[in-house]
Amino acid sequence: MALGEADILRYSRQILLREVGGRGQERLLAGGVRLGASGEAGLTAAAYVVAGGTPVVPDARPLLEGAEGFLVPAGHTGESAADVLAAHLPGISSGARAPGGGGRLAEVPARWDGEGPWVALGGDGARGVVVFRAPEGCAACFAATVAGLGPPPGGLAGVGLGALGALILQRLLLGLGPALGARGWDAPGILTEGTVHACGRCG
Ligand SMILES: [Zn+2]
């Protein structure tokens, strides 16, 4: 996808980043991500991914109480996240339009399919965890790592985890490694290396 004049103006600050550039911005615009989210972590991630230019198609999960945060007005608890996001976040598709790429960004538990990249937002007690996989990363190792996680934390920890997840997804769309990994968000601003569990073939 070649950048038009409007794209260059809109994404100029990102294009100036050495890691992004014009080519990288084209990749961000061409990538498509299917979202599975109903809470702060997933909705925050979606807002950042869309702001970076990548189309996001949400699924039919209902919004959790308090999940709206700063993204959409209060009072939509229980409604479809897809409908609420489509109404309030420019760039979010209501689901009628298929995304261009095979990306998946979802809160645990979720189904994982498509080529990737995949980014899972999960939790381990009060700790938030992001597990990620580029298309060339092992899907079975990703699944083994995600299997040990519960849903992501809510509140401020969820917002921070979502921002981290969006950044990781954008790195993967830009072709920046590693191809498989996990990061812990132990408390706001406290980032740790997570453990990847090897599948039977890799281990
Ligand atoms: Zn493996």
Side-chain angles (χ1 to χ4, degrees):
M1 184 192 289
L3 295 176
E5 197 177 333
D7 294 326
I8 293 172
L9 282 174
R10 179 166 184 186
Y11 302 111
S12 57
R13 281 166 299 174
Q14 255 172 217
I15 293 169
L16 284 175
L17 295 174
R18 189 162 43 87
E19 296 84 351
V20 181
R23 282 282 164 76
Q25 187 59 49
E26 286 173 16
R27 287 183 174 201
L28 292 178
L29 290 167
V33 175
R34 287 166 302 118
L35 176 72
S38 56
E40 286 96 329
L43 300 192
T44 300
Y48 280 114
V49 169
V50 163
T54 303
V56 170
V57 178
D59 65 7
R61 296 186 192 200
L63 281 185
L64 292 177
E65 189 174 348
E68 298 97 332
F70 61 91
L71 299 171
V72 296
H76 293 287
T77 301
E79 290 178 30
S80 144
D83 294 344
V84 177
L85 287 174
H88 296 285
L89 268 186
I92 291 265
S93 154
S94 62
R97 190 167 54 93
R104 179 91 168 114
L105 169 67
E107 294 171 346
V108 175
R111 267 191 55 217
W112 299 97
D113 52 19
E115 175 196 347
W118 296 345
V119 173
L121 304 169
D124 179 9
R127 176 177 185 247
V129 180
V130 179
V131 183
F132 58 92
R133 172 194 162 263
E136 63 272 24
C138 175
C141 287
F142 175 92
T145 306
V146 169
L149 299 177
L156 191 57
V159 169
L161 184 71
L164 174 66
L167 202 61
I168 289 175
L169 180 77
Q170 288 169 330
R171 283 184 53 89
L172 295 175
L173 288 170
L174 292 169
L176 302 171
L180 187 71
R183 298 288 183 274
W185 185 250
D186 291 22
I190 309 294
L191 187 61
T192 54
E193 190 83 16
T195 308
V196 173
H197 299 283
C199 72
R201 224 182 40 193
C202 298

mmCIF file with all atom_site columns, all heavy atoms in Angstrom, residues 137-142 144 180 196-203, ligand 1:
data_model
loop_
_atom_site.group_PDB
_atom_site.id
_atom_site.type_symbol
_atom_site.label_atom_id
_atom_site.label_alt_id
_atom_site.label_comp_id
_atom_site.label_asym_id
_atom_site.label_entity_id
_atom_site.label_seq_id
_atom_site.pdbx_PDB_ins_code
_atom_site.Cartn_x
_atom_site.Cartn_y
_atom_site.Cartn_z
_atom_site.occupancy
_atom_site.B_iso_or_equiv
_atom_site.pdbx_formal_charge
_atom_site.auth_seq_id
_atom_site.auth_comp_id
_atom_site.auth_asym_id
_atom_site.auth_atom_id
_atom_site.pdbx_PDB_model_num
ATOM   1   N  N   . GLY A 1 137 ? 6.956  -17.507 14.271 1.00 0.00 ? 137 GLY A N   1
ATOM   2   C  CA  . GLY A 1 137 ? 7.110  -18.113 15.594 1.00 0.00 ? 137 GLY A CA  1
ATOM   3   C  C   . GLY A 1 137 ? 6.257  -19.367 15.719 1.00 0.00 ? 137 GLY A C   1
ATOM   4   O  O   . GLY A 1 137 ? 5.266  -19.535 15.010 1.00 0.00 ? 137 GLY A O   1
ATOM   5   N  N   . CYS A 1 138 ? 6.628  -20.258 16.661 1.00 0.00 ? 138 CYS A N   1
ATOM   6   C  CA  . CYS A 1 138 ? 5.926  -21.542 16.813 1.00 0.00 ? 138 CYS A CA  1
ATOM   7   C  C   . CYS A 1 138 ? 4.547  -21.328 17.478 1.00 0.00 ? 138 CYS A C   1
ATOM   8   O  O   . CYS A 1 138 ? 4.458  -20.830 18.596 1.00 0.00 ? 138 CYS A O   1
ATOM   9   C  CB  . CYS A 1 138 ? 6.756  -22.500 17.653 1.00 0.00 ? 138 CYS A CB  1
ATOM   10  S  SG  . CYS A 1 138 ? 5.889  -24.053 17.996 1.00 0.00 ? 138 CYS A SG  1
ATOM   11  N  N   . ALA A 1 139 ? 3.486  -21.747 16.770 1.00 0.00 ? 139 ALA A N   1
ATOM   12  C  CA  . ALA A 1 139 ? 2.119  -21.572 17.278 1.00 0.00 ? 139 ALA A CA  1
ATOM   13  C  C   . ALA A 1 139 ? 1.863  -22.448 18.498 1.00 0.00 ? 139 ALA A C   1
ATOM   14  O  O   . ALA A 1 139 ? 1.132  -22.068 19.414 1.00 0.00 ? 139 ALA A O   1
ATOM   15  C  CB  . ALA A 1 139 ? 1.115  -21.884 16.171 1.00 0.00 ? 139 ALA A CB  1
ATOM   16  N  N   . ALA A 1 140 ? 2.476  -23.631 18.541 1.00 0.00 ? 140 ALA A N   1
ATOM   17  C  CA  . ALA A 1 140 ? 2.248  -24.552 19.665 1.00 0.00 ? 140 ALA A CA  1
ATOM   18  C  C   . ALA A 1 140 ? 2.924  -24.031 20.940 1.00 0.00 ? 140 ALA A C   1
ATOM   19  O  O   . ALA A 1 140 ? 2.375  -24.152 22.034 1.00 0.00 ? 140 ALA A O   1
ATOM   20  C  CB  . ALA A 1 140 ? 2.766  -25.941 19.317 1.00 0.00 ? 140 ALA A CB  1
ATOM   21  N  N   . CYS A 1 141 ? 4.110  -23.440 20.819 1.00 0.00 ? 141 CYS A N   1
ATOM   22  C  CA  . CYS A 1 141 ? 4.774  -22.837 21.979 1.00 0.00 ? 141 CYS A CA  1
ATOM   23  C  C   . CYS A 1 141 ? 3.947  -21.657 22.491 1.00 0.00 ? 141 CYS A C   1
ATOM   24  O  O   . CYS A 1 141 ? 3.795  -21.463 23.699 1.00 0.00 ? 141 CYS A O   1
ATOM   25  C  CB  . CYS A 1 141 ? 6.181  -22.349 21.622 1.00 0.00 ? 141 CYS A CB  1
ATOM   26  S  SG  . CYS A 1 141 ? 7.410  -23.639 21.388 1.00 0.00 ? 141 CYS A SG  1
ATOM   27  N  N   . PHE A 1 142 ? 3.415  -20.859 21.557 1.00 0.00 ? 142 PHE A N   1
ATOM   28  C  CA  . PHE A 1 142 ? 2.547  -19.737 21.937 1.00 0.00 ? 142 PHE A CA  1
ATOM   29  C  C   . PHE A 1 142 ? 1.348  -20.262 22.731 1.00 0.00 ? 142 PHE A C   1
ATOM   30  O  O   . PHE A 1 142 ? 1.033  -19.759 23.808 1.00 0.00 ? 142 PHE A O   1
ATOM   31  C  CB  . PHE A 1 142 ? 2.081  -19.007 20.671 1.00 0.00 ? 142 PHE A CB  1
ATOM   32  C  CG  . PHE A 1 142 ? 1.079  -17.911 20.917 1.00 0.00 ? 142 PHE A CG  1
ATOM   33  C  CD1 . PHE A 1 142 ? 1.499  -16.592 21.117 1.00 0.00 ? 142 PHE A CD1 1
ATOM   34  C  CD2 . PHE A 1 142 ? -0.284 -18.175 20.942 1.00 0.00 ? 142 PHE A CD2 1
ATOM   35  C  CE1 . PHE A 1 142 ? 0.568  -15.579 21.342 1.00 0.00 ? 142 PHE A CE1 1
ATOM   36  C  CE2 . PHE A 1 142 ? -1.215 -17.173 21.170 1.00 0.00 ? 142 PHE A CE2 1
ATOM   37  C  CZ  . PHE A 1 142 ? -0.783 -15.870 21.374 1.00 0.00 ? 142 PHE A CZ  1
ATOM   38  N  N   . ALA A 1 144 ? 1.028  -23.095 24.360 1.00 0.00 ? 144 ALA A N   1
ATOM   39  C  CA  . ALA A 1 144 ? 1.444  -23.656 25.649 1.00 0.00 ? 144 ALA A CA  1
ATOM   40  C  C   . ALA A 1 144 ? 1.680  -22.547 26.670 1.00 0.00 ? 144 ALA A C   1
ATOM   41  O  O   . ALA A 1 144 ? 1.406  -22.702 27.865 1.00 0.00 ? 144 ALA A O   1
ATOM   42  C  CB  . ALA A 1 144 ? 2.711  -24.488 25.465 1.00 0.00 ? 144 ALA A CB  1
ATOM   43  N  N   . LEU A 1 180 ? 8.889  -14.794 19.091 1.00 0.00 ? 180 LEU A N   1
ATOM   44  C  CA  . LEU A 1 180 ? 8.057  -15.418 20.119 1.00 0.00 ? 180 LEU A CA  1
ATOM   45  C  C   . LEU A 1 180 ? 8.550  -14.928 21.472 1.00 0.00 ? 180 LEU A C   1
ATOM   46  O  O   . LEU A 1 180 ? 9.751  -14.857 21.700 1.00 0.00 ? 180 LEU A O   1
ATOM   47  C  CB  . LEU A 1 180 ? 8.212  -16.946 20.038 1.00 0.00 ? 180 LEU A CB  1
ATOM   48  C  CG  . LEU A 1 180 ? 7.306  -17.794 20.919 1.00 0.00 ? 180 LEU A CG  1
ATOM   49  C  CD1 . LEU A 1 180 ? 5.874  -17.752 20.415 1.00 0.00 ? 180 LEU A CD1 1
ATOM   50  C  CD2 . LEU A 1 180 ? 7.792  -19.239 20.948 1.00 0.00 ? 180 LEU A CD2 1
ATOM   51  N  N   . VAL A 1 196 ? 8.592  -18.381 28.256 1.00 0.00 ? 196 VAL A N   1
ATOM   52  C  CA  . VAL A 1 196 ? 7.912  -19.063 27.154 1.00 0.00 ? 196 VAL A CA  1
ATOM   53  C  C   . VAL A 1 196 ? 7.982  -20.566 27.412 1.00 0.00 ? 196 VAL A C   1
ATOM   54  O  O   . VAL A 1 196 ? 9.073  -21.089 27.696 1.00 0.00 ? 196 VAL A O   1
ATOM   55  C  CB  . VAL A 1 196 ? 8.560  -18.713 25.803 1.00 0.00 ? 196 VAL A CB  1
ATOM   56  C  CG1 . VAL A 1 196 ? 7.976  -19.547 24.682 1.00 0.00 ? 196 VAL A CG1 1
ATOM   57  C  CG2 . VAL A 1 196 ? 8.390  -17.237 25.501 1.00 0.00 ? 196 VAL A CG2 1
ATOM   58  N  N   . HIS A 1 197 ? 6.857  -21.253 27.376 1.00 0.00 ? 197 HIS A N   1
ATOM   59  C  CA  . HIS A 1 197 ? 6.850  -22.694 27.577 1.00 0.00 ? 197 HIS A CA  1
ATOM   60  C  C   . HIS A 1 197 ? 6.992  -23.386 26.225 1.00 0.00 ? 197 HIS A C   1
ATOM   61  O  O   . HIS A 1 197 ? 6.218  -23.134 25.311 1.00 0.00 ? 197 HIS A O   1
ATOM   62  C  CB  . HIS A 1 197 ? 5.544  -23.117 28.256 1.00 0.00 ? 197 HIS A CB  1
ATOM   63  C  CG  . HIS A 1 197 ? 5.373  -22.480 29.608 1.00 0.00 ? 197 HIS A CG  1
ATOM   64  N  ND1 . HIS A 1 197 ? 6.057  -22.919 30.724 1.00 0.00 ? 197 HIS A ND1 1
ATOM   65  C  CD2 . HIS A 1 197 ? 4.639  -21.418 30.014 1.00 0.00 ? 197 HIS A CD2 1
ATOM   66  C  CE1 . HIS A 1 197 ? 5.754  -22.151 31.750 1.00 0.00 ? 197 HIS A CE1 1
ATOM   67  N  NE2 . HIS A 1 197 ? 4.887  -21.226 31.359 1.00 0.00 ? 197 HIS A NE2 1
ATOM   68  N  N   . ALA A 1 198 ? 7.989  -24.256 26.116 1.00 0.00 ? 198 ALA A N   1
ATOM   69  C  CA  . ALA A 1 198 ? 8.263  -24.923 24.848 1.00 0.00 ? 198 ALA A CA  1
ATOM   70  C  C   . ALA A 1 198 ? 7.231  -26.024 24.603 1.00 0.00 ? 198 ALA A C   1
ATOM   71  O  O   . ALA A 1 198 ? 6.815  -26.706 25.534 1.00 0.00 ? 198 ALA A O   1
ATOM   72  C  CB  . ALA A 1 198 ? 9.663  -25.510 24.866 1.00 0.00 ? 198 ALA A CB  1
ATOM   73  N  N   . CYS A 1 199 ? 6.806  -26.179 23.365 1.00 0.00 ? 199 CYS A N   1
ATOM   74  C  CA  . CYS A 1 199 ? 5.902  -27.260 22.982 1.00 0.00 ? 199 CYS A CA  1
ATOM   75  C  C   . CYS A 1 199 ? 6.698  -28.572 22.882 1.00 0.00 ? 199 CYS A C   1
ATOM   76  O  O   . CYS A 1 199 ? 7.921  -28.567 22.993 1.00 0.00 ? 199 CYS A O   1
ATOM   77  C  CB  . CYS A 1 199 ? 5.225  -26.943 21.657 1.00 0.00 ? 199 CYS A CB  1
ATOM   78  S  SG  . CYS A 1 199 ? 6.314  -27.065 20.234 1.00 0.00 ? 199 CYS A SG  1
ATOM   79  N  N   . GLY A 1 200 ? 6.025  -29.695 22.680 1.00 0.00 ? 200 GLY A N   1
ATOM   80  C  CA  . GLY A 1 200 ? 6.680  -30.992 22.633 1.00 0.00 ? 200 GLY A CA  1
ATOM   81  C  C   . GLY A 1 200 ? 7.739  -31.075 21.559 1.00 0.00 ? 200 GLY A C   1
ATOM   82  O  O   . GLY A 1 200 ? 8.772  -31.723 21.716 1.00 0.00 ? 200 GLY A O   1
ATOM   83  N  N   . ARG A 1 201 ? 7.535  -30.355 20.438 1.00 0.00 ? 201 ARG A N   1
ATOM   84  C  CA  . ARG A 1 201 ? 8.467  -30.440 19.320 1.00 0.00 ? 201 ARG A CA  1
ATOM   85  C  C   . ARG A 1 201 ? 9.698  -29.558 19.550 1.00 0.00 ? 201 ARG A C   1
ATOM   86  O  O   . ARG A 1 201 ? 10.816 -29.930 19.215 1.00 0.00 ? 201 ARG A O   1
ATOM   87  C  CB  . ARG A 1 201 ? 7.751  -30.006 18.041 1.00 0.00 ? 201 ARG A CB  1
ATOM   88  C  CG  . ARG A 1 201 ? 8.026  -30.897 16.861 1.00 0.00 ? 201 ARG A CG  1
ATOM   89  C  CD  . ARG A 1 201 ? 7.322  -30.364 15.630 1.00 0.00 ? 201 ARG A CD  1
ATOM   90  N  NE  . ARG A 1 201 ? 7.412  -28.897 15.566 1.00 0.00 ? 201 ARG A NE  1
ATOM   91  C  CZ  . ARG A 1 201 ? 6.691  -28.135 14.759 1.00 0.00 ? 201 ARG A CZ  1
ATOM   92  N  NH1 . ARG A 1 201 ? 5.834  -28.673 13.934 1.00 0.00 ? 201 ARG A NH1 1
ATOM   93  N  NH2 . ARG A 1 201 ? 6.810  -26.819 14.753 1.00 0.00 ? 201 ARG A NH2 1
ATOM   94  N  N   . CYS A 1 202 ? 9.447  -28.343 20.136 1.00 0.00 ? 202 CYS A N   1
ATOM   95  C  CA  . CYS A 1 202 ? 10.564 -27.411 20.337 1.00 0.00 ? 202 CYS A CA  1
ATOM   96  C  C   . CYS A 1 202 ? 11.361 -27.749 21.607 1.00 0.00 ? 202 CYS A C   1
ATOM   97  O  O   . CYS A 1 202 ? 12.544 -27.465 21.704 1.00 0.00 ? 202 CYS A O   1
ATOM   98  C  CB  . CYS A 1 202 ? 10.073 -25.963 20.437 1.00 0.00 ? 202 CYS A CB  1
ATOM   99  S  SG  . CYS A 1 202 ? 9.263  -25.381 18.940 1.00 0.00 ? 202 CYS A SG  1
ATOM   100 N  N   . GLY A 1 203 ? 10.643 -28.310 22.630 1.00 0.00 ? 203 GLY A N   1
ATOM   101 C  CA  . GLY A 1 203 ? 11.310 -28.546 23.912 1.00 0.00 ? 203 GLY A CA  1
ATOM   102 C  C   . GLY A 1 203 ? 12.122 -29.834 23.820 1.00 0.00 ? 203 GLY A C   1
ATOM   103 O  O   . GLY A 1 203 ? 12.990 -30.111 24.585 1.00 0.00 ? 203 GLY A O   1
HETATM 104 ZN ZN  . ZN  B 2 .   ? 7.128  -25.008 19.629 1.00 0.00 ? 1   ZN  B ZN  1
#
